[in-house]
Amino acid sequence: APPPAPQHSVDLVRELRSLKPGLKTSTYEELRTHFRNPPVDFRAMPLWVWNDELEWPRLKEALGQLKQQGLGGAFVHPRPGLMTEYLGPEWFKLWKQSVKEGRRLGLLVNIYDENSYPAGFAGGHVPALAPDTVSQYVELVLVEPASISTAEIQNQWVAGRLLPVAAFELDRGVGGELAGARRILKLAEATGQKPLALFNLRRAVGNAWTGGFPYVDLTNPETARALIATTYEPYRRHVGREFGKTVRWSFQDEPLL
């Protein structure tokens, strides 16, 4: 015989805010049924890696395997090695086929909103569309007295290639420790006998992981607008009819601040 229904546990489950509004567990037997055979919302959904040159027969086979393993769906996850153009025509053709097949199988096909990670730059589309969204940072450069009067340092400062947010002439103690600092507004104010601390403004540059594009400033409101325009709006145009149905979730991975 099944164990008696723990009424307090059933009441707790009824009150969980994470439960879908349309999924109401009113009896202990219904709870047991849902536990044995959870709806897709409550099943595991792995990251479904898309890389290489994507072909529909292979993607269709993968969806069938997800169904056979009892999963609720997946998040389509672009990864290094992807040869199909990210967010290009073939990408969305395969996406629409995947959504159609997912709907037939009763699986969710969800968005992973970046080409690999960190999230926010749309695989380079955001900085290409809005260069002013590229992240900036302050770099500390220590200049020893022997270098202060060199023509290279002076020329870079005057020409604007060296852009100190702030500059300080430093006093060091007998052991070389910092003993004091005096802010200077131009190189001519330096005595030339003490080291300088230059806090220089820099812009991010591209690297192999970000496809040669610089990463973006996530605190800039324009970054969010550009991400929506380059990523979410194209998904809405191509598969928006399935938003809230077969396409129910979006995954943002490791945004970099």
Side-chain angles (χ1 to χ4, degrees):
Q7 187 60 42
H8 63 282
S9 298
V10 177
D11 290 340
L12 177 62
V13 171
R14 286 176 182 165
E15 293 301 317
L16 283 177
R17 294 289 184 263
S18 61
L19 283 178
K20 238 181 123 222
L23 179 64
K24 295 182 179 179
T25 303
S26 57
T27 69
Y28 181 60
E29 281 306 315
E30 287 177 350
L31 175 61
R32 287 169 57 86
T33 299
H34 290 149
F35 190 82
R36 287 193 300 265
N37 185 25
V40 292
D41 287 293
F42 302 95
R43 291 175 179 263
M45 297 188 201
L47 297 176
W48 180 18
V49 171
W50 281 20
N51 56 11
D52 206 340
E53 186 72 37
L54 300 174
E55 299 174 350
W56 171 238
R58 294 174 62 192
L59 298 179
K60 182 178 181 181
E61 179 185 6
L63 284 167
Q65 291 173 347
L66 293 175
K67 180 67 175 181
Q68 291 173 8
Q69 295 298 321
L71 300 172
F75 290 82
V76 176
H77 184 15
R79 291 288 297 180
L82 178 65
M83 298 174 66
T84 302
E85 181 187 358
Y86 177 59
L87 301 180
E90 184 66 15
W91 176 268
F92 282 113
K93 175 185 175 182
L94 295 170
W95 239 93
K96 286 189 281 190
Q97 289 176 301
S98 297
V99 168
K100 182 178 179 180
E101 180 68 4
R103 182 174 63 243
R104 186 185 74 82
L105 294 173
L107 297 173
L108 301 184
V109 180
N110 299 305
I111 296 169
Y112 181 103
D113 72 349
E114 189 52 77
N115 188 353
S116 194
Y117 62 88
F121 77 114
H125 288 283
V126 170
L129 175 69
D132 287 345
T133 63
V134 171
S135 61
Q136 300 182 77
Y137 60 96
V138 175
E139 176 188 56
L140 171 61
V141 176
L142 294 176
V143 182
E144 294 301 325
S147 303
I148 293 174
S149 60
T150 64
E152 181 182 356
I153 292 289
Q154 295 188 43
N155 290 338
Q156 287 191 32
W157 192 317
V158 173
R161 292 190 296 274
L162 189 64
L163 298 173
V165 177
F168 297 86
E169 189 172 60
L170 306 179
D171 293 315
R172 285 177 173 166
V174 293
E177 73 279 5
L178 179 64
R182 177 178 66 89
R183 184 166 186 175
I184 61 174
L185 300 179
K186 51 187 177 181
L187 191 58
E189 295 179 7
T191 64
Q193 305 301 313
K194 300 177 181 180
L196 297 180
L198 305 179
F199 293 85
N200 299 323
L201 187 63
R202 294 281 189 257
R203 285 172 61 88
V205 296
N207 57 63
W209 184 256
T210 56
F213 290 93
Y215 194 60
V216 290
D217 178 6
L218 299 186
T219 66
N220 184 342
E222 291 303 318
T223 300
R225 296 187 183 98
L227 178 63
I228 291 170
T230 58
T231 301
Y232 286 98
E233 282 299 323
Y235 277 109
R236 182 188 62 81
R237 288 194 299 271
H238 289 281
V239 294
R241 290 184 178 180
E242 288 297 319
F243 280 10
K245 302 173 185 176
T246 307
V247 184
R248 200 168 294 172
W249 309 104
S250 176
F251 190 110
Q252 276 201 328
D253 199 3
E254 299 186 19
L256 181 62
L257 291 173

